[in-house]
Amino acid sequence: MKRILLFIGMIATAAIMFSCSSPTPKDVTSSYYKAIQKGDFEKAMGYTTVEDNEEIKKEVDKMKGLEIKISDFEIVSEEISDDGESAEVEVKYKFTSSFNSEPEETTNKVKLTKEDGKWKIKG
């Protein structure tokens, strides 16, 4: 009986540790690209450092005007600075836009910074 309770306690502790962990730069970048994939540019902008509503509106309109559609993406690497306050995530993705209907593949280095303890993509 003691072993069962110990095992349950270990599982509960692990679950609490996982639920309390904050998103990594990789997680934030992935969420950003998923939002763009779905065409939810406003949500995507929520993962950036852009806070001014007027600036967000301009960026969203720009994205919509370009008709960017990401078909697939992959996080290639994540590099966090020694001080833990900035990071760079390399992303490889396929996209089409109003300029090119044929899918293109490209790699992008996304720069992130910590704001109030949360990772944000520099906008």
Side-chain angles (χ1 to χ4, degrees), residues 23-37:
T24 65
K26 258 198 268 194
D27 296 335
V28 171
T29 304
S30 181
S31 295
Y32 174 81
Y33 276 88
K34 283 178 185 175
I36 291 175
Q37 264 185 324

Side-chain angles (χ1 to χ4, degrees), residues 61-88:
D61 288 345
K62 200 183 309 180
M63 287 181 185
K64 285 180 180 176
L66 294 175
E67 297 177 23
I68 297 170
K69 293 193 172 87
I70 294 177
S71 60
D72 192 27
F73 72 92
E74 170 191 356
I75 304 293
V76 177
S77 66
E78 173 189 65
E79 211 174 293
I80 300 173
S81 66
D82 290 338
D83 67 3
E85 294 298 313
S86 63
E88 188 173 89

Side-chain angles (χ1 to χ4, degrees), residues 34-104:
K34 283 178 185 175
I36 291 175
Q37 264 185 324
K38 293 177 183 174
D40 192 346
F41 300 114
E42 289 172 15
K43 184 175 183 179
M45 292 305 295
Y47 295 107
T48 71
T49 58
V50 178
E51 291 184 13
D52 182 300
N53 285 338
E54 200 56 40
E55 192 174 343
I56 289 173
K57 186 179 177 335
K58 285 179 189 175
E59 290 298 318
V60 168
D61 288 345
K62 200 183 309 180
M63 287 181 185
K64 285 180 180 176
L66 294 175
E67 297 177 23
I68 297 170
K69 293 193 172 87
I70 294 177
S71 60
D72 192 27
F73 72 92
E74 170 191 356
I75 304 293
V76 177
S77 66
E78 173 189 65
E79 211 174 293
I80 300 173
S81 66
D82 290 338
D83 67 3
E85 294 298 313
S86 63
E88 188 173 89
V89 176
E90 187 173 359
V91 184
K92 182 168 53 171
Y93 60 95
K94 291 181 185 173
F95 72 99
T96 57
S97 70
S98 59
F99 298 117
N100 191 356
S101 60
E102 289 297 315
E104 287 184 51

